[in-house]
Amino acid sequence: MKKILVITWLVVLLGAIGALFWYNELQYQLPTPVPQNYKAVNPGELIKLSAKLKTDGTKPLFLHFFNPVCPCSRFNIKMFKSLVAQYGQKVNFVIVVISDRTYTAKEIQDKFDLAIPVTFDQSIALACGVYSTPQVALIDNKGKLYYRGNYNISRYCTDEKTNYAQQAINGLLDNNKKLFFNKLALTSYGCRLANCKY
């Protein structure tokens, strides 16, 4: 009788652990629910940014939406750093922190080991139509949205064929106005924004 009880308990315990793992893995593979009052911002729309973030007209602006407590954002750090290393001379990069916790710019820069601008202005997400992290908003040197979407189809940013952020940068730098992104690039995945004001 004890043996059956122990085996039953182990099966239930393993089942619960498996279910929790599956749920936590699955929730980041499903699209982020669209906020009720969400207003889409389409490519080509002028993005109104504060004077601190406005492009100087010589380089595009790459906004990286980041939440330090979001697992997907943390997995994405390596990918973002590689983009900064590769395109830092041609594109202005800014980290937009979206969190309900308080951080300093230095803490965020230390997480990335990068000395690039950091902003905590959550209205930028609304201006760009972003409602999850990690996300990219790539703005051309005229202040218009070129791309708003995911970095990669893979949560760990390891699928080279779907490096959407890199494809967007290359398309913008090559002046490709007809670059096509599929639904997987444009459907938001990851963590919902904290304090989303939609």
Side-chain angles (χ1 to χ4, degrees):
M1 185 68 167
K2 274 188 178 182
K3 203 175 198 180
I4 294 172
L5 203 57
V6 168
I7 290 171
T8 304
W9 174 248
L10 286 174
V11 168
V12 168
L13 190 61
L14 287 173
I17 291 169
L20 280 171
F21 178 77
W22 177 251
Y23 173 76
N24 285 325
E25 210 38 49
L26 180 64
Q27 78 173 337
Y28 297 116
Q29 292 177 7
L30 296 173
T32 305
V34 179
Q36 196 170 21
N37 299 320
Y38 177 69
K39 181 181 177 248
V41 179
N42 298 313
E45 285 189 42
L46 190 65
I47 304 298
K48 295 175 184 169
L49 298 173
S50 69
K52 289 186 215 171
L53 288 181
K54 285 204 181 198
T55 178
D56 61 5
T58 62
K59 292 182 187 177
L61 178 63
F62 186 105
L63 299 172
H64 170 60
F65 292 87
F66 176 71
N67 181 349
V69 298
C70 174
C72 300
S73 284
R74 290 194 306 266
F75 294 141
N76 183 257
I77 290 173
K78 185 178 176 185
M79 176 67 173
F80 178 72
K81 286 178 69 168
S82 72
L83 292 174
V84 173
Q86 189 172 353
Y87 298 100
Q89 300 299 314
K90 299 176 182 175
V91 177
N92 291 325
F93 287 87
V94 175
I95 299 169
V96 183
V97 179
I98 307 291
S99 179
D100 51 3
R101 297 184 184 177
T102 303
Y103 297 92
T104 66
K106 176 85 168 83
E107 286 174 314
I108 301 301
Q109 289 169 334
D110 288 349
K111 283 183 186 298
F112 285 85
D113 194 25
L114 292 171
I116 63 173
V118 174
T119 181
F120 300 92
D121 183 355
Q122 297 191 11
S123 70
I124 297 169
L126 184 65
C128 295
V130 170
Y131 58 90
S132 72
T133 61
Q135 284 277 291
V136 175
L138 183 59
I139 299 167
D140 70 16
N141 45 357
K142 293 178 182 162
K144 293 181 179 177
L145 183 68
Y146 183 79
Y147 172 72
R148 192 259 336 132
N150 300 313
Y151 277 84
N152 198 295
I153 193 173
S154 165
R155 177 180 177 190
Y156 304 100
C157 295
T158 53
D159 187 348
E160 293 207 12
K161 292 178 188 170
T162 60
N163 279 344
Y164 302 125
Q166 185 170 13
Q167 291 169 15
I169 293 172
N170 288 334
L172 182 56
L173 294 176
D174 291 342
N175 203 21
N176 184 347
K177 296 187 184 340
K178 296 185 179 181
L179 191 62
F180 173 77
F181 291 102
N182 64 30
K183 188 176 179 183
L184 293 171
L186 303 175
T187 302
S188 293
Y189 290 85
C191 302
R192 287 184 194 194
L193 293 189
N195 302 322
C196 195
K197 299 287 192 279
Y198 285 104

